[in-house]
Amino acid sequence: MTLLKITELSSGYGRIQAVRQASLEVSEAEIVTLLGPNGAGKTTLLKTVAGLLRPSGGSVVYLGQAIDDWSPATRARRGLVLVPEGRGILGQMTVWENLLMGAYARGAKTKDVAEEIEKLLDQFPLLAARLQAAAGVLSGGERQLLAIARALLAHPRLLMLDEPSLGLAPRMAQEILRTIRGLRDRGITILLAEQGIRQALQLADRCYVMVTGRIVASGPAVRFLKEHELSEIYLTGIISDKASGTAAARPEREPA
Ligand code: ATP
């Protein structure tokens, strides 16, 4: 079943068009990666899907319904949840309070979620040990884990993660990616924006490559793993004549 279908979406900031006619689909229980270099438009695309930016063209359909007039809060309540780049953690609040905020996003009350948080923390032992700490003192990796745990309390159907391993030490980045794989195993569908190509591709079922606001290639992640060098060309944003002739011109594939 298709959860999210974006068709010819354009979006940006005033006169800056950061996403240009991008089309993309995510089906239930998939991990889809959106790969692209710095400034390709990945964040802009995710923010537009989350309702934080208004598209200048195209459509976003979620669960078969056009959602253009849904507020960001409505989207989150209906399971379309974004973990932003930079993570959006409230540093003055404790880890526990940040987790509560995730549950509030779906309209839950404190007394109803304590048990759920306890249970969730079994999968996040690093957070369980720091519940009363101010979130501001956590390491980058711990903050990312907190952002993911908080998003889970919003009961996402489609979880959008914007560069979750950005700036993390390799071991912590691996831990985050392991956590993401665990989420998929629990049936949560994931749209993952990343620059770090190999790890993201190893995790994903399918992949879209974005360069300067456009989706330039898409297909099963394993194909891009095999074409690792080619993918790297895309990710540096330098598309040689040869590469653009073989891959950029390739038609978009339907999700399996
Ligand atoms: P990154 O990995 O750096 O986050 P990205 O692929 O997520 O890259 P975006 O952040 O979506 O890319 O940026 C796409 C383009 O939009 C870039 O040219 C960027 O400079 C521009 N841009 C991003 N945010 C704003 C803003 N608030 N105002 C104006 N231009 C912006």
Side-chain angles (χ1 to χ4, degrees):
M1 181 178 125
T2 304
L3 277 193
L4 180 72
K5 186 173 166 68
I6 295 168
T7 309
E8 308 230 322
L9 189 74
S10 295
S11 183
Y13 312 88
R15 284 208 207 137
I16 299 170
Q17 214 187 7
V19 174
R20 298 156 191 255
Q21 298 178 318
S23 297
L24 171 157
E25 278 189 44
V26 184
S27 296
E28 193 146 38
E30 284 192 299
I31 298 183
V32 172
T33 55
L34 181 60
L35 292 176
N38 210 347
K42 306 179 297 294
T43 298
T44 306
L45 187 146
L46 295 186
K47 279 187 174 170
T48 307
V49 174
L52 300 170
L53 290 172
R54 277 214 153 279
S56 53
S59 65
V60 179
V61 171
Y62 174 62
L63 292 170
Q65 222 180 322
I67 61 168
D68 302 313
D69 56 354
W70 292 14
S71 69
T74 301
R75 293 177 201 217
R77 248 195 330 274
R78 307 259 178 109
L80 197 51
V81 176
L82 171 66
V83 178
E85 191 181 346
R87 291 124 204 187
I89 292 298
L90 301 164
Q92 304 294 326
M93 288 187 172
T94 64
V95 168
W96 173 260
E97 288 164 341
N98 269 280
L99 291 171
L100 283 178
M101 298 297 287
Y104 294 159
R106 65 168 209 263
K109 303 273 187 300
T110 308
K111 62 179 171 49
D112 300 328
V113 292
E115 203 174 311
E116 184 184 351
I117 294 178
E118 291 286 319
K119 218 164 140 198
L120 181 72
L121 286 169
D122 287 346
Q123 296 149 55
F124 294 90
L126 289 176
L127 296 181
R130 323 268 331 245
L131 275 185
Q132 296 311 324
V137 305
L138 299 182
S139 71
E142 288 168 338
R143 273 205 298 279
Q144 182 59 59
L145 288 170
L146 175 56
I148 294 173
R150 186 180 61 177
L152 292 178
L153 287 159
H155 289 184
R157 182 124 186 217
L158 174 60
L159 187 61
M160 296 184 284
L161 296 161
D162 194 0
E163 302 207 31
S165 61
L166 189 73
L168 301 184
R171 247 177 68 193
M172 199 64 198
Q174 283 301 328
E175 173 68 23
I176 299 292
L177 293 170
R178 245 198 318 276
T179 304
I180 294 170
R181 186 178 287 122
L183 302 182
R184 195 265 305 272
D185 295 344
R186 288 170 45 198
I188 298 169
T189 305
I190 290 161
L191 177 57
L192 171 69
E194 270 290 353
Q195 291 182 40
I197 175 167
R198 180 158 278 279
Q199 289 96 331
L201 282 172
Q202 280 165 343
L203 192 68
D205 301 300
R206 287 189 309 111
C207 167
Y208 291 86
V209 183
M210 195 170 198
V211 178
T212 54
R214 295 187 189 280
I215 305 280
V216 295
S218 67
V222 67
R223 194 186 85 203
F224 289 88
L225 261 178
K226 280 192 213 134
E227 295 174 15
H228 185 51
E229 271 179 46
L230 177 63
S231 305
E232 276 191 340
I233 292 170
Y234 281 103
L235 292 179
T236 58
I238 306 158
I239 305 179
S240 69
D241 289 347
K242 182 166 169 271
S244 60
T246 54
R250 204 174 269 152
E252 304 252 339
R253 289 178 59 141
E254 288 297 307

